[in-house]
């Protein structure tokens, strides 16, 4: 065995190369290099999305969570585009300029619906395979596609690991401290929570940002850019419905039954994957990924960053590096 092929030597070279890559990413001026928002019909949606980078670059799809939007990637996307990637950042259904093409289309909220939205957008953009990266709702959606349609995924970056919802498991109570972190999910299943989201949408989102990311000192302008996405006419319906669906308090749609049957069996993910924990994320204790490691059967790495829940916006250069490294696993 030659020295250059020795496993420990390869790890050293990979680590030093990754560090050099991060150092070379540079900085992107906030709010000046992201956009414009485009529109494209695909599936049941008229999708709002940002596209950056060369059209023939390796495609990367970046997916946000709640209560966030595409601006979580306003620094990540330009960094990746500058390295030659074709970067797509879509608004999920119910957010920003993504709207339903027909008023009669059911506003479905099952986890499968979001995955099918992204697959339809990939088809419309003529993207056969892409690196998928996300957090929160975005991690869940990316995980589903990677598990059930691995032929569409080059690599995966998933914050908080394996987030495919198991409805039966969600019916079991957690220890009190863990339940406390999920407070707004339980709030949203009540009539009071629905009224609270409607009346205090702006204030509620801002409060959750502070709760989710206790060390992140964002300014009002940063939050306002995202809060504008909550004006979508279907925002409340999608948010309330999705959290109620997760608690089995909203009906599962028959059209997704076959997909959900597979998802409820916790399918493994075999594509190259990097999982990420935010050290100060209140939902999942940061660790070495062992809590969900068994779900990932392909090439794998785990990383922990000194941030909260909104990893790409709090640590954009580290997140961009993870995307590029995942595609090299």
């Amino acid at each position: 065995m030659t020295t250059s092929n020795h496993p420990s030597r390869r790890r050293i070279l990979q680590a030093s190369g990754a560090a050099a890559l991060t150092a070379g990413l540079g900085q992107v001026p906030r709010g000046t290099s992201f956009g414009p928002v485009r529109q494209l019909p695909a599936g049941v949606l008229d999708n709002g999305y940002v596209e950056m980078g060369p059209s023939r670059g390796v495609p990367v799809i970046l997916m946000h969570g709640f209560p966030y939007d595409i601006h979580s990637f306003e620094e990540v996307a330009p960094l990746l585009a500058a390295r030659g990637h074709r970067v797509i950042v879509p608004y999920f259904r119910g957010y920003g300029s993504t709207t339903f093409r027909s008023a009669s289309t059911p506003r479905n909220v099952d986890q499968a619906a979001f995955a099918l939205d992204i697959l339809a957008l990939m088809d419309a953009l003529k993207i056969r395979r892409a690196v998928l990266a996300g957090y929160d709702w975005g991690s869940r959606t990316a995980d589903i596609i990677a598990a059930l349609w691995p032929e569409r995924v080059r690599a995966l970056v998933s914050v908080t690991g394996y987030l495919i919802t198991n409805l039966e498991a969600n019916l079991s109570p957690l220890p009190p401290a863990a339940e406390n972190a999920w407070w707004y999910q339980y709030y949203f299943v009540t009539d009071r929570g629905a009224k609270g989201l409607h009346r205090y949408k702006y204030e509620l989102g801002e409060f959750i940002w502070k709760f989710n990311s206790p060390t992140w000192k964002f300014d009002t302008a940063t939050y306002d850019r995202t809060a504008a996405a909550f004006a979508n006419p279907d925002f409340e319906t999608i948010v309330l419905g999705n959290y109620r669906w997760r608690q089995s308090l909203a009906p599962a749609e028959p059209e997704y039954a076959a997909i959900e049957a597979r998802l409820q069996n916790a399918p493994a993910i075999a594509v190259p994957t990097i999982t990420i924990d935010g050290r100060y994320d209140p939902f999942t204790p940061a660790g070495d990924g062992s809590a969900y490691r068994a779900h990932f059967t392909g090439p794998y790495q785990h990383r922990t960053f000194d941030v909260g829940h909104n990893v790409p916006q709090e640590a954009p250069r580290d997140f961009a590096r993870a995307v590029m490294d995942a595609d090299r696993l």
Side-chain angles (χ1 to χ4, degrees), residues 178-262:
E179 295 280 35
N180 179 65
W182 300 99
W183 65 271
Y184 61 83
Q185 299 202 23
Y186 306 135
Y187 181 56
F188 287 158
V189 306
T190 68
D191 289 341
R192 185 185 185 94
K195 293 175 182 176
L197 179 62
H198 179 72
R199 182 179 300 178
Y200 299 112
K201 193 179 306 177
Y202 180 94
E203 295 87 351
L204 184 58
E206 185 178 32
F207 184 84
I208 292 172
W209 274 36
K210 293 176 181 177
F211 177 83
N212 287 358
S213 300
T215 63
W216 184 30
K217 305 304 180 184
F218 60 89
D219 57 26
T220 300
T222 297
Y223 176 68
D224 285 349
R225 278 194 291 275
T226 285
F230 308 158
N232 185 291
D234 295 305
F235 176 77
E236 293 174 31
T237 298
I238 297 300
V239 169
L240 295 171
N242 184 258
Y243 284 115
R244 293 176 180 188
W245 177 86
R246 294 186 203 182
Q247 300 300 324
S248 296
L249 297 173
E253 302 298 336
E255 65 188 278
Y256 309 122
I259 296 174
E260 284 299 339
R262 296 175 65 190

Side-chain angles (χ1 to χ4, degrees), residues 20-131:
L21 179 61
T22 301
L25 283 173
Q27 299 289 343
V28 176
R30 185 183 298 273
T32 61
S33 302
F34 187 65
V37 175
R38 307 181 184 188
Q39 295 295 136
L40 180 67
V44 300
L45 300 177
D46 182 18
N47 293 268
Y49 68 101
V50 164
E51 179 169 351
M52 305 184 73
S55 61
R56 297 193 178 186
V58 171
V60 175
I61 300 177
L62 305 173
M63 290 172 279
H64 67 83
F66 168 85
Y68 307 96
D69 82 328
I70 62 174
H71 289 91
S72 288
F73 302 101
E74 66 177 340
E75 293 186 53
V76 173
L79 290 170
L80 292 173
R83 304 293 295 197
H85 291 278
R86 180 188 182 190
V87 185
I88 310 294
V89 193
Y91 284 111
F92 276 139
R93 56 173 57 196
Y95 292 79
S97 63
T98 291
T99 56
F100 287 84
R101 297 170 65 185
S102 171
S104 64
T105 300
R107 273 46 176 171
N108 292 340
V109 294
D110 308 50
Q111 61 181 344
F114 296 86
L116 293 175
D117 289 345
I118 296 301
L119 289 171
L121 180 60
M122 290 175 66
D123 290 343
L125 290 167
K126 296 180 171 51
I127 295 174
R128 186 176 66 87
R129 296 173 70 228
V131 179

Side-chain angles (χ1 to χ4, degrees), residues 136-151:
D136 198 87
W137 292 25
S139 286
R140 178 172 295 107
T141 302
D143 288 352
I144 291 169
I145 298 172
L148 299 189
W149 294 277
E151 70 279 3

